[in-house]
Amino acid sequence: MNFIDIGSIDEIPIGRPTTRVVDGRKIAVCRTKSGIHALDNTCPHRGGPLGEGDLIGEELVCPWHLWSFDVKTGNCPGSNDVGVAAHDVKIEGNRVLVRLAPPRPLPELI
Ligand code: FES
């Protein structure tokens, strides 16, 4: 999978998530102090839209039942087993490019 241009840096808001569709997959894009990050948009709990959640520091919080996800790894804090795919992001000039990671399996607890 190649990197795909999702827009300019200026189009990614600071401190709140936004969404893009990349190769038919909806992703949540987050711009934090550590940079720009991209996660799968669908919460593994019950399918909430992460791109409509809150960005608190380096965590994206699902708007439905408040599960949170590390924007760098996609993991729920304290777990390496539960989370969403975290995609590779690189900046070229003022453009943001994303390379999709494979989807992560759903946790067994739901
Ligand atoms: S759907 Fe995301 S926390 Fe429940």
Side-chain angles (χ1 to χ4, degrees), residues 43 45-48 62 64-67:
C43 179
H45 179 219
R46 297 278 167 86
C62 179
W64 286 7
H65 313 102
L66 307 180
W67 282 25

Side-chain angles (χ1 to χ4, degrees), residues 3-6 19 39 42-43 45 53 61 63 75-76 79 100-101 109:
F3 280 91
I4 296 172
D5 189 319
I6 64 164
T19 59
L39 303 177
T42 303
C43 179
H45 179 219
V61 181
N75 291 339
C76 289
S79 172
L100 295 178
L109 52 92

Side-chain angles (χ1 to χ4, degrees), residues 6 12 16-32 34-44 48-63 67-77 79 82-90 96-104:
I6 64 164
I12 309 298
R16 66 178 169 82
T18 187
T19 59
R20 294 287 186 278
V21 176
V22 177
D23 204 24
R25 237 163 113 185
K26 197 165 188 179
I27 62 171
V29 183
C30 302
R31 185 173 175 187
T32 69
S34 66
I36 294 177
H37 309 280
L39 303 177
D40 267 354
N41 188 61
T42 303
C43 179
L50 296 181
E52 297 174 22
D54 289 322
L55 194 51
I56 300 175
E58 300 293 317
E59 291 183 5
L60 179 57
V61 181
C62 179
W67 282 25
S68 63
F69 302 87
D70 185 306
V71 294
K72 295 178 195 149
T73 64
N75 291 339
C76 289
S79 172
V82 180
V84 292
H87 308 294
D88 292 331
V89 176
K90 70 176 179 179
V96 180
L97 296 97
V98 169
R99 181 171 60 195
L100 295 178
R104 286 178 63 166

